[in-house]
Amino acid sequence: MAERKHRAEDRRVKRTKKILRDNLFKLMETRTADEITVKELTEAADVNRSTFYFYYKDINDMIRQIQAEIYSVFEAEVISPEAKFDTISDFVAYITRFLVFCKTNEKICKFVISNDPNNNLTNMIKKRLLEFIPDSEKVFDVDNPKRYLTCFAVAGFWQTILNWMYDGMKISPDEMAAFMTNVYFFGGRTVLIEK
C-alpha cells in the first residue's frame, strides 16, 4: 500500500516538473530566462508558487536541474562502458547513439543548448565524448599539426549536429552518422565528388 502511494507521488512530481518545464520552454521562445519571473511561470503552468520553490530555488536553478537531467540521460543512452573503436563501424555506432539521443530528446536538447550561456553542459558532453574517441593530441607531438585532428573533428561534428537539429532532423541519425564518419575518416573531398 505504501509503495503504491509512493509511486503515485513520484508520478505527480514528474508530471508537475514536466508542466513547469514545458511552460518554461514556451515562455523562453520569446524571452530569456532572466526576463521570466517565478510568478509568471507558475501562473502559466497553473502551479502554486510554493510548489515551484519546493523543487527549485529560482529559474536558474531549474535550468541547472534540467541540464543535469539531460546529462544523466546522455550518459545512460550514449556512453557505453564497453564501447570500442577498433573499426569504423564502431565509430558509426557511437555517433548514431548520440544522434538518436538528440532526436529523442529534441525539445530539451535545443532548450539546454540555447540556454547554456557558459556552455557548461556542452563542455561536459564534449569532454565525456572525448573520453571514448581517440584523441589526436595524445598521439602526435606538439610540433605536428595532426595533433589538432580530434579538436577539428569534434568542433565540426558539434556544429553539424546543431545545424541538423535546427533544420528539423530530416535526415535519419543512421545516415548522418555514416556521413560524418565518412568525412572524418576519408575527408570532405571524397564526399563532395560522390554522386
Side-chain angles (χ1 to χ4, degrees):
M1 184 72 166
E3 186 178 326
R4 189 180 309 147
K5 183 180 176 191
H6 181 69
R7 280 197 308 261
E9 286 173 2
D10 283 349
R11 279 196 301 275
R12 266 196 304 276
V13 168
K14 285 179 184 173
R15 188 170 51 245
T16 301
K17 285 186 166 187
K18 183 181 181 326
I19 290 167
L20 285 166
R21 186 180 68 210
D22 290 348
N23 279 277
L24 178 64
F25 292 171
K26 192 178 292 183
L27 290 169
M28 291 185 80
E29 287 173 5
T30 56
R31 299 200 319 279
T32 66
D34 295 336
E35 297 171 324
I36 298 167
T37 65
V38 171
K39 180 178 189 284
E40 182 180 20
L41 173 61
T42 54
E43 283 176 1
D46 197 23
V47 171
N48 219 316
R49 269 200 285 180
S50 60
T51 302
F52 175 90
Y53 286 117
F54 184 77
Y55 302 120
Y56 311 108
K57 288 187 278 189
D58 54 28
I59 300 288
N60 288 324
D61 181 49
M62 182 179 177
I63 291 171
R64 279 190 295 276
Q65 286 191 40
I66 292 169
Q67 290 176 334
E69 286 170 27
I70 198 68
Y71 182 76
S72 63
V73 173
F74 158 78
E75 283 215 311
E77 293 180 5
V78 178
I79 301 299
S80 171
E82 66 277 349
K84 297 180 296 184
F85 291 94
D86 298 333
T87 66
I88 291 175
S89 61
D90 293 337
F91 194 84
V92 172
Y94 189 56
I95 300 301
T96 301
R97 282 198 308 275
F98 185 61
L99 294 172
V100 167
F101 158 79
C102 291
K103 190 162 182 119
T104 305
N105 301 286
E106 177 182 2
K107 195 171 187 178
I108 295 175
C109 282
K110 282 182 181 176
F111 166 80
V112 166
I113 291 165
S114 301
N115 298 287
D116 189 10
N118 300 319
N119 294 320
N120 294 329
L121 183 68
T122 299
N123 291 333
M124 283 171 39
I125 289 175
K126 283 183 182 177
K127 184 178 178 185
R128 194 75 171 109
L129 287 170
L130 279 171
E131 289 176 21
F132 295 87
I133 296 173
D135 189 349
S136 57
E137 282 191 26
K138 295 176 182 167
V139 176
F140 297 101
D141 293 330
V142 292
D143 57 349
N144 189 333
K146 290 180 183 176
R147 71 182 275 107
Y148 298 106
L149 176 63
T150 304
C151 173
F152 179 81
V154 168
F157 279 175
W158 194 259
Q159 192 58 51
T160 301
I161 290 167
L162 290 181
N163 286 6
W164 172 72
M165 282 173 51
Y166 284 102
D167 284 346
M169 302 185 199
K170 296 175 185 88
I171 301 166
S172 76
D174 291 333
E175 195 176 347
M176 281 300 293
F179 161 74
M180 291 166 70
T181 303
N182 199 19
V183 170
Y184 179 64
F185 283 100
F186 306 110
R189 186 166 180 253
T190 312
V191 175
L192 288 173
I193 60 174
E194 286 180 358
K195 297 284 184 203

